[in-house]
Amino acid sequence: MRRDDVSQGDAAAKVKMAGVLGTELSDEKDAEIELKKRQKRPWEDLHRSGKIGITAELPETLGFYDISAVRREQPELSADPSLTRFICAELTRGYFLEHNEAKYTERRERVYTCMRIPKELEKLMIFGFFLCVDAFLYVFTLLPLRVLLALLRLLTLPCCGFSGSRLLQPAQVCDVLKGLILVLCFSMMHYVDYSMMYHMIRGQSVIKLYIIYNMLEVADRLFSSFGQDILDALYWTATEPKERKRDSIGVIPHFFMAVFYVFLHAILIMVQASTLNVAFNSHNKSLLTIMMSNNFVEIKGSVFKKFEKNNLFQMSNSDIKERFTSYVLLLIVCLRNMEQFSWNPDHLWVLFPDVFMVVTSEIAVDIIKHAFITKFNDITADVYSEYRASLAFDLVSSRQKNACTDYSDSVARRMGFIPLPLAVLLIRVVMSSVKVQGALSYSCLFLFYLGLVTLKVLNSIVLLGKSCVYVKRANMEDKLFERPAPTTSSSAKSPSKADPARCSTPSGKSDTTTYQSGKVMIITLSSHLMHMF
């Protein structure tokens, strides 16, 4: 009896335990089913039951469907997702660009801007190149005549009598100083042997010459940035009014500083020309190729930087100066090579491919660099017209009656192009390459000088006419005759580097009269020049 009770109790316990385990398993199974329902896509039951099929026309992004569109469509039953269906979807899916019209219109305008950059950039480069030509020819043509006139004034002072507070006008003092610097530096350059320098450079390895050439380019930029300040300090010290308290070290120390600077800069450019000449005369042309590839490295250093319009203007002026300097260096290299081959014209065709490669690489690098800078900084191609108008404004301002500065100095400040060192080197190379002997040679030299004067005058006339047109198009005539801003006592003791538009108007004339007469002058001059050319 007791055994039966025990066995019945065990059976009841077992049944109870089984019920508890079954309840736990059912709870786990229900939880698993509920989790699957949550993870399941809401339309899977639809197309599994045969009520709806998903086609390639339904909006889909990486497997996510618009459920509202799925419910609206009632196509026939389709198969489960498979590789064949995925490939068919990739081959037949469509998209609509008009849904983002503003974005694609902007991209198209960027392409058109890049296509316009070469034309607009070359317009600026050509205009700036002839500005540099005008400033460079001034050193050889009009500067000697102006120095002679200034010296003639000094010689005739005892006969004509002294009148006024100045022996010479400020412009004449600056011209005399420039002439003295040229003469002294040219005399010092005679002690520098170009042939010995060429052979010393030729004996170096290719990699060393490549490093030297890069160092020379950096040094040339540093010299150009500081050189014009030295010359301006000399001009201001020599022409500062006598009644003003002087706080400078004197004219003589400034003069020797200027002579030392021009001499060192001329030697620096001579080393550049010698290195380029070695690259031209090397047999495998490896050095020339490496030097040209260095131009493309410049793209990496400038394209991915942030540029404003003012920064791009400075870069454009620097590119103009570099291109003009490169052309003068190529001229020096050609002169030295032609002199070595006794001026055989056949050798000129040997040099032509290398010259063409250098020029082409310069132009290509400038175009690519400016195209991507304008693209990355959202700058339009019309900005180069503004730059051209600004350079034209400098030229027109320097032609006023009471201009603040000489035109060649304004070009040097704007572009960093200082013609004196380059002129000293070119005179040195020409004098050593071309032998002038006999009356016929001197006659040819005089005719060549007259040709340079004619070229300078014609170039100045055309540039002035074009500049007047550019200033009118940019509506900048009013700035030519603005009244100067009041200067403080601190600025009165230092050389003024204000814009030429801030120069004072001639005394005895009202601002309205000056403005009207100047505007009439610009319109008349530009119309006459455009009729002439």
PDB file of all heavy atoms in Angstrom, residues 1-15:
ATOM      1  N   MET A   1       0.834  -1.208   0.000  1.00  0.00           N
ATOM      2  CA  MET A   1       0.000   0.000   0.000  1.00  0.00           C
ATOM      3  C   MET A   1       0.856   1.240   0.000  1.00  0.00           C
ATOM      4  O   MET A   1       0.626   2.211  -0.713  1.00  0.00           O
ATOM      5  CB  MET A   1      -0.924  -0.054   1.241  1.00  0.00           C
ATOM      6  CG  MET A   1      -2.025   0.997   1.211  1.00  0.00           C
ATOM      7  SD  MET A   1      -3.201   0.626  -0.093  1.00  0.00           S
ATOM      8  CE  MET A   1      -4.222   2.036   0.091  1.00  0.00           C
ATOM      9  N   ARG A   2       1.872   1.142   0.768  1.00  0.00           N
ATOM     10  CA  ARG A   2       2.773   2.292   0.828  1.00  0.00           C
ATOM     11  C   ARG A   2       3.563   2.426  -0.460  1.00  0.00           C
ATOM     12  O   ARG A   2       3.867   3.502  -0.913  1.00  0.00           O
ATOM     13  CB  ARG A   2       3.745   2.150   2.009  1.00  0.00           C
ATOM     14  CG  ARG A   2       3.036   2.305   3.348  1.00  0.00           C
ATOM     15  CD  ARG A   2       4.026   2.143   4.474  1.00  0.00           C
ATOM     16  NE  ARG A   2       3.369   2.369   5.740  1.00  0.00           N
ATOM     17  CZ  ARG A   2       3.984   2.234   6.933  1.00  0.00           C
ATOM     18  NH1 ARG A   2       5.277   1.889   6.967  1.00  0.00           N
ATOM     19  NH2 ARG A   2       3.307   2.431   8.086  1.00  0.00           N
ATOM     20  N   ARG A   3       3.934   1.251  -1.018  1.00  0.00           N
ATOM     21  CA  ARG A   3       4.679   1.301  -2.284  1.00  0.00           C
ATOM     22  C   ARG A   3       3.840   1.927  -3.387  1.00  0.00           C
ATOM     23  O   ARG A   3       4.330   2.681  -4.210  1.00  0.00           O
ATOM     24  CB  ARG A   3       5.106  -0.113  -2.691  1.00  0.00           C
ATOM     25  CG  ARG A   3       6.170  -0.669  -1.784  1.00  0.00           C
ATOM     26  CD  ARG A   3       6.571  -2.045  -2.255  1.00  0.00           C
ATOM     27  NE  ARG A   3       7.609  -2.604  -1.408  1.00  0.00           N
ATOM     28  CZ  ARG A   3       8.117  -3.840  -1.557  1.00  0.00           C
ATOM     29  NH1 ARG A   3       7.671  -4.610  -2.538  1.00  0.00           N
ATOM     30  NH2 ARG A   3       9.049  -4.290  -0.715  1.00  0.00           N
ATOM     31  N   ASP A   4       2.554   1.615  -3.456  1.00  0.00           N
ATOM     32  CA  ASP A   4       1.678   2.200  -4.482  1.00  0.00           C
ATOM     33  C   ASP A   4       1.554   3.698  -4.289  1.00  0.00           C
ATOM     34  O   ASP A   4       1.587   4.464  -5.260  1.00  0.00           O
ATOM     35  CB  ASP A   4       0.269   1.555  -4.406  1.00  0.00           C
ATOM     36  CG  ASP A   4       0.304   0.068  -4.784  1.00  0.00           C
ATOM     37  OD1 ASP A   4       1.289  -0.296  -5.486  1.00  0.00           O
ATOM     38  OD2 ASP A   4      -0.620  -0.645  -4.392  1.00  0.00           O
ATOM     39  N   ASP A   5       1.451   4.128  -3.048  1.00  0.00           N
ATOM     40  CA  ASP A   5       1.365   5.587  -2.800  1.00  0.00           C
ATOM     41  C   ASP A   5       2.633   6.287  -3.228  1.00  0.00           C
ATOM     42  O   ASP A   5       2.610   7.375  -3.819  1.00  0.00           O
ATOM     43  CB  ASP A   5       1.094   5.845  -1.293  1.00  0.00           C
ATOM     44  CG  ASP A   5      -0.279   5.327  -0.869  1.00  0.00           C
ATOM     45  OD1 ASP A   5      -1.126   5.191  -1.794  1.00  0.00           O
ATOM     46  OD2 ASP A   5      -0.480   5.100   0.333  1.00  0.00           O
ATOM     47  N   VAL A   6       3.775   5.612  -2.964  1.00  0.00           N
ATOM     48  CA  VAL A   6       5.062   6.234  -3.351  1.00  0.00           C
ATOM     49  C   VAL A   6       5.186   6.319  -4.854  1.00  0.00           C
ATOM     50  O   VAL A   6       5.600   7.323  -5.421  1.00  0.00           O
ATOM     51  CB  VAL A   6       6.244   5.436  -2.739  1.00  0.00           C
ATOM     52  CG1 VAL A   6       7.572   5.925  -3.318  1.00  0.00           C
ATOM     53  CG2 VAL A   6       6.234   5.563  -1.234  1.00  0.00           C
ATOM     54  N   SER A   7       4.808   5.222  -5.528  1.00  0.00           N
ATOM     55  CA  SER A   7       4.913   5.232  -7.004  1.00  0.00           C
ATOM     56  C   SER A   7       3.966   6.245  -7.621  1.00  0.00           C
ATOM     57  O   SER A   7       4.302   6.946  -8.594  1.00  0.00           O
ATOM     58  CB  SER A   7       4.601   3.817  -7.540  1.00  0.00           C
ATOM     59  OG  SER A   7       3.282   3.437  -7.176  1.00  0.00           O
ATOM     60  N   GLN A   8       2.773   6.370  -7.047  1.00  0.00           N
ATOM     61  CA  GLN A   8       1.844   7.377  -7.564  1.00  0.00           C
ATOM     62  C   GLN A   8       2.380   8.788  -7.325  1.00  0.00           C
ATOM     63  O   GLN A   8       2.245   9.680  -8.149  1.00  0.00           O
ATOM     64  CB  GLN A   8       0.466   7.188  -6.889  1.00  0.00           C
ATOM     65  CG  GLN A   8      -0.259   5.945  -7.357  1.00  0.00           C
ATOM     66  CD  GLN A   8      -1.586   5.772  -6.651  1.00  0.00           C
ATOM     67  OE1 GLN A   8      -1.948   6.594  -5.777  1.00  0.00           O
ATOM     68  NE2 GLN A   8      -2.328   4.707  -7.002  1.00  0.00           N
ATOM     69  N   GLY A   9       3.010   8.976  -6.172  1.00  0.00           N
ATOM     70  CA  GLY A   9       3.593  10.314  -5.884  1.00  0.00           C
ATOM     71  C   GLY A   9       4.729  10.640  -6.832  1.00  0.00           C
ATOM     72  O   GLY A   9       4.860  11.775  -7.318  1.00  0.00           O
ATOM     73  N   ASP A  10       5.557   9.635  -7.150  1.00  0.00           N
ATOM     74  CA  ASP A  10       6.657   9.861  -8.109  1.00  0.00           C
ATOM     75  C   ASP A  10       6.114  10.199  -9.489  1.00  0.00           C
ATOM     76  O   ASP A  10       6.627  11.083 -10.197  1.00  0.00           O
ATOM     77  CB  ASP A  10       7.537   8.612  -8.179  1.00  0.00           C
ATOM     78  CG  ASP A  10       8.293   8.376  -6.862  1.00  0.00           C
ATOM     79  OD1 ASP A  10       8.417   9.372  -6.098  1.00  0.00           O
ATOM     80  OD2 ASP A  10       8.760   7.250  -6.663  1.00  0.00           O
ATOM     81  N   ALA A  11       5.086   9.503  -9.874  1.00  0.00           N
ATOM     82  CA  ALA A  11       4.503   9.764 -11.202  1.00  0.00           C
ATOM     83  C   ALA A  11       3.913  11.152 -11.270  1.00  0.00           C
ATOM     84  O   ALA A  11       4.059  11.878 -12.278  1.00  0.00           O
ATOM     85  CB  ALA A  11       3.432   8.701 -11.502  1.00  0.00           C
ATOM     86  N   ALA A  12       3.270  11.570 -10.213  1.00  0.00           N
ATOM     87  CA  ALA A  12       2.692  12.927 -10.205  1.00  0.00           C
ATOM     88  C   ALA A  12       3.772  13.987 -10.262  1.00  0.00           C
ATOM     89  O   ALA A  12       3.651  15.018 -10.944  1.00  0.00           O
ATOM     90  CB  ALA A  12       1.824  13.093  -8.941  1.00  0.00           C
ATOM     91  N   ALA A  13       4.876  13.698  -9.552  1.00  0.00           N
ATOM     92  CA  ALA A  13       5.997  14.661  -9.580  1.00  0.00           C
ATOM     93  C   ALA A  13       6.602  14.760 -10.965  1.00  0.00           C
ATOM     94  O   ALA A  13       6.967  15.846 -11.460  1.00  0.00           O
ATOM     95  CB  ALA A  13       7.051  14.239  -8.534  1.00  0.00           C
ATOM     96  N   LYS A  14       6.737  13.559 -11.582  1.00  0.00           N
ATOM     97  CA  LYS A  14       7.306  13.565 -12.943  1.00  0.00           C
ATOM     98  C   LYS A  14       6.405  14.313 -13.909  1.00  0.00           C
ATOM     99  O   LYS A  14       6.855  15.061 -14.777  1.00  0.00           O
ATOM    100  CB  LYS A  14       7.507  12.132 -13.415  1.00  0.00           C
ATOM    101  CG  LYS A  14       8.631  11.420 -12.682  1.00  0.00           C
ATOM    102  CD  LYS A  14       8.792   9.992 -13.211  1.00  0.00           C
ATOM    103  CE  LYS A  14       9.921   9.266 -12.480  1.00  0.00           C
ATOM    104  NZ  LYS A  14      10.089   7.879 -12.973  1.00  0.00           N
ATOM    105  N   VAL A  15       5.105  14.091 -13.790  1.00  0.00           N
ATOM    106  CA  VAL A  15       4.163  14.786 -14.681  1.00  0.00           C
ATOM    107  C   VAL A  15       4.228  16.287 -14.464  1.00  0.00           C
ATOM    108  O   VAL A  15       4.223  17.094 -15.398  1.00  0.00           O
ATOM    109  CB  VAL A  15       2.731  14.249 -14.444  1.00  0.00           C
ATOM    110  CG1 VAL A  15       1.709  15.116 -15.183  1.00  0.00           C
ATOM    111  CG2 VAL A  15       2.621  12.807 -14.895  1.00  0.00           C
TER     112      VAL A  15
END
